[in-house]
Amino acid sequence: MSVDVEVEQTRTDKRVAAILVSLALAANNAGAYVLSIIAARLLAPSAFGELSSLLAVLVIGVVPAMGLQTVVALRVARKPQDSGTLLALGLTTSAIVATIGLILAPVLVFVLHLDSVVPALLLAVTLGPLTLLGLFHGLLQGSGRFALLAGLMSLEGAGKVGGSLIGLLIGGDATGALAGTAIGSYLVIFCGWILCGRPRPRKTGWHAGEVLHAAQAMLALVLLVNLDLVLARHTLPAAEAGEYALGAIVTKIAYWLPQAVGVLVLPRFANSDDRRRILPAALAVCAALDAFVLLVSLVVGPRLLSFIGGSGYAASTMPVWPFALAGSMLALVQILLFSRLAAGDRRVTVLMWTTVVVETVLVTTWLHSSATQVVTVAACCAGGLALSGAVLELRSRR
């Protein structure tokens, strides 16, 4: 009887963890969508396109944080780790990322056609704390402390998105929004340090090869989630790029909706038997959630853009369902990527980067005469990558 009670308690704990993480992610992502909607209504299409492209670059810039989180979570799930040693690695990684961001700030001014270097510098300053935040996420995720992880995610949304909103309302432009993001991010990492037990950095002999491999794979994924928006900003007229930025919100909805699935299953992927058993169910849950997003985008159509961005986009005829399809495929890709990273399979990185190159070449050299062409390329590349990842997973099981 006691065994049955224990099993039932474990199931209850898992359900509670899933609910808490789902709610935290939903609130976090809802905050990001609210930021996009408010920015779309306050700013002119060209200014909104500028802010959206900068925020997309910020998401790309925190990829090392995602790689750090993935590696730390898998290591902690397999065997308890010294948090002080991991903190030293996190601090080093965050310093490197922030420095690279500062060096590349002039490049962003050219690529995104910015009027000033200040927003690019603010973005670089924000990368440091957001990278370190990945360490705290990984420590909590790998040890199964999902309630605390959900709390940290909620604080992240309040600090980062809330800071961006306040900065946007005060400054009225991308510079103000990014200044608020930077301030909020530094407050969040302090909270993360407290939640993880206030660890002190200790000298580490652990080489960062695992983090680098995971980071470059995650970089390819995040590039694919945001690449079409950046390419649209670079190749399309400013007004059309702003319209595309609204469609990209639908991509983000489809991509982020099943995020709790990945958060919960990643530590269990550390065990090969659990990974083989859980992966099909995780993919099925992601597909079911995103089927709803795709259905809504098909039924509502371009009217969804005016609902998100206001009456200024009421005349839009741009199809919305390809954005939902692209995000849905990328959600499946993420789960497959976690599985392959946990298995130590480096072939998946080649697949990811090949897709990035293909999409970039197709859009910049050929298919960029309209927003529909750009999103169609993104959706086809994401679908091809999901299929290739599934084939790679099946072959690994033989």
Side-chain angles (χ1 to χ4, degrees), residues 70 83 88 122 177:
T70 302
S83 59
L122 286 170

Side-chain angles (χ1 to χ4, degrees), residues 36-372:
S36 296
I37 292 171
I38 292 177
R41 294 175 181 271
L42 291 180
L43 303 176
S46 58
F48 175 63
E50 175 184 335
L51 177 60
S52 296
S53 59
L54 283 167
L55 292 177
V57 173
L58 179 61
V59 173
I60 295 171
V62 297
V63 166
M66 300 172 67
L68 185 64
Q69 176 182 346
T70 302
V71 170
V72 169
L74 288 172
R75 278 184 162 263
V76 171
R78 291 189 181 110
K79 181 181 179 181
Q81 303 286 316
D82 178 22
S83 59
T85 300
L86 296 177
L87 177 60
L89 177 66
L91 289 170
T92 302
T93 305
S94 64
I96 293 173
V97 171
T99 301
I100 293 175
L102 291 171
I103 294 173
L104 294 180
V107 178
L108 286 182
V109 175
F110 169 74
V111 173
L112 301 181
H113 311 297
L114 303 179
D115 296 328
S116 169
V117 73
V118 175
L121 292 175
L122 286 170
L123 187 148
V125 171
T126 308
L127 289 176
L130 292 182
T131 301
L132 187 58
L133 188 60
L135 169 72
F136 299 133
H137 282 165
L139 289 172
L140 297 175
Q141 183 182 10
S143 58
R145 291 178 285 176
F146 292 113
L148 289 178
L149 178 61
L152 182 56
M153 288 177 175
S154 300
L155 290 172
E156 178 185 0
K160 188 173 65 175
V161 179
S164 301
L165 281 171
I166 293 173
L168 177 62
L169 294 174
I170 294 176
D173 56 13
T175 300
L178 289 172
T181 305
I183 295 172
S185 298
Y186 280 97
L187 294 175
V188 171
I189 62 165
F190 177 75
C191 295
W193 179 69
I194 296 295
L195 289 175
C196 289
R198 305 180 183 183
R200 298 290 192 275
R202 296 184 179 87
K203 185 176 180 180
T204 175
W206 174 27
H207 299 289
E210 286 180 89
V211 176
L212 180 61
H213 173 238
Q216 66 170 325
M218 297 303 295
L219 173 59
L221 175 61
V222 174
L223 275 174
L224 289 170
V225 174
N226 298 277
L227 182 60
D228 61 321
L229 178 58
V230 176
L231 292 174
R233 171 72 181 176
H234 184 64
T235 59
L236 298 176
E240 194 171 3
E243 184 180 15
Y244 193 98
L246 279 181
I249 294 176
V250 179
T251 301
K252 302 299 189 302
I253 292 174
Y255 175 70
W256 286 107
L257 183 61
Q259 285 297 296
V261 178
V263 172
L264 294 173
V265 302
L266 177 61
R268 301 187 67 181
F269 280 175
N271 181 282
S272 60
D273 292 334
D274 285 348
R275 182 173 64 249
R276 289 172 176 268
R277 179 170 51 85
I278 294 171
L279 179 60
L283 292 172
V285 172
C286 287
L289 290 172
D290 277 332
F292 173 75
V293 180
L294 185 58
L295 178 62
V296 170
S297 66
L298 281 169
V299 173
V300 179
R303 289 176 295 172
L304 191 59
L305 297 179
S306 61
F307 174 77
I308 296 174
S311 59
Y313 299 89
S316 175
T317 59
M318 184 178 67
V320 180
W321 68 266
F323 291 94
L325 180 61
S328 301
M329 293 296 102
L330 289 171
L332 298 179
V333 167
Q334 184 181 51
I335 299 297
L336 291 166
L337 175 60
F338 283 160
S339 174
R340 292 294 85 211
L341 287 176
D345 188 348
R346 295 179 179 265
R347 294 174 297 174
V348 67
T349 306
V350 177
L351 281 178
M352 302 291 295
W353 282 106
T354 299
T355 306
V356 170
V357 172
V358 170
E359 182 173 332
T360 302
V361 170
L362 286 176
V363 173
T364 56
T365 64
W366 182 23
L367 299 172
H368 56 253
S369 61
S370 68
T372 301

